[in-house]
Amino acid sequence: MVVTPDFRNRYNLTGFCSINPDTTKAVWCSLNECLNDADRFALDLEYAICSGFFQGGDVLILDNAQVHTGKENTVLQDYLWDEYGIFLLFLPARTPEWNPMEQVWKCLVQKLRDIPLKTCREIGEHATA
């Protein structure tokens, strides 16, 4: 897929994947026409919780990317535990192989390479509607 310079500056894809074999939803994602920042991540995380994707007793594994740790997300670990009973585990630096979501991203990027940019934009418009 040929990506124009504005694609990364216009769209944000937040995704969570589950490794629980008993779940009916293996992946939750949100595609939005906005920048990827800590505020957007926190909002998408709230949406995922409200949709029932996360439940008390779940473990959320994140890397230390700025979108996960910046702004108000500095208190994310305590907030998720106190409000929802969700345990937040931050991975050590440079350990993407420990994060199951990295495998989803790898597969998604491979699939998106074959989709025209116009189609990705149309999908994004429907995802935020």
Side-chain angles (χ1 to χ4, degrees):
M1 170 170 86
V2 177
V3 177
T4 61
D6 74 322
F7 185 79
R8 289 183 61 117
N9 294 326
R10 289 188 59 193
Y11 293 93
N12 163 36
L13 178 62
T14 301
F16 301 107
C17 83
S18 172
I19 56 173
N20 180 350
D22 298 328
T23 188
T24 57
K25 298 181 204 173
V27 176
W28 183 96
C29 67
S30 173
L31 178 62
N32 301 284
E33 190 168 358
C34 64
L35 293 177
N36 188 16
D37 63 12
D39 292 334
R40 181 75 240 179
F41 175 76
L43 186 60
D44 284 340
L45 180 55
E46 285 284 340
Y47 290 155
I49 291 169
C50 291
S51 76
F53 185 78
F54 290 110
Q55 300 174 11
D58 284 349
V59 177
L60 174 59
I61 301 172
L62 298 175
D63 60 20
N64 288 290
Q66 186 65 28
V67 298
H68 302 146
T69 60
K71 295 186 180 179
E72 297 296 320
N73 291 347
T74 57
V75 296
L76 192 59
Q77 192 166 19
D78 291 334
Y79 172 72
L80 289 174
W81 181 252
D82 293 344
E83 295 295 319
Y84 301 105
I86 297 170
F87 182 76
L88 178 57
L89 173 66
F90 283 105
L91 293 174
R94 295 182 272 299
T95 57
E97 66 278 4
W98 292 5
N99 188 346
M101 190 65 201
E102 293 297 334
Q103 301 306 314
V104 174
W105 288 130
K106 181 180 176 182
C107 180
L108 183 61
V109 167
Q110 290 172 347
K111 298 286 185 187
L112 285 175
R113 285 190 180 128
D114 299 329
I115 300 174
L117 181 58
K118 181 180 178 191
T119 303
C120 288
R121 286 186 174 149
E122 290 169 356
I123 291 169
E125 290 170 8
H126 293 294
T128 58

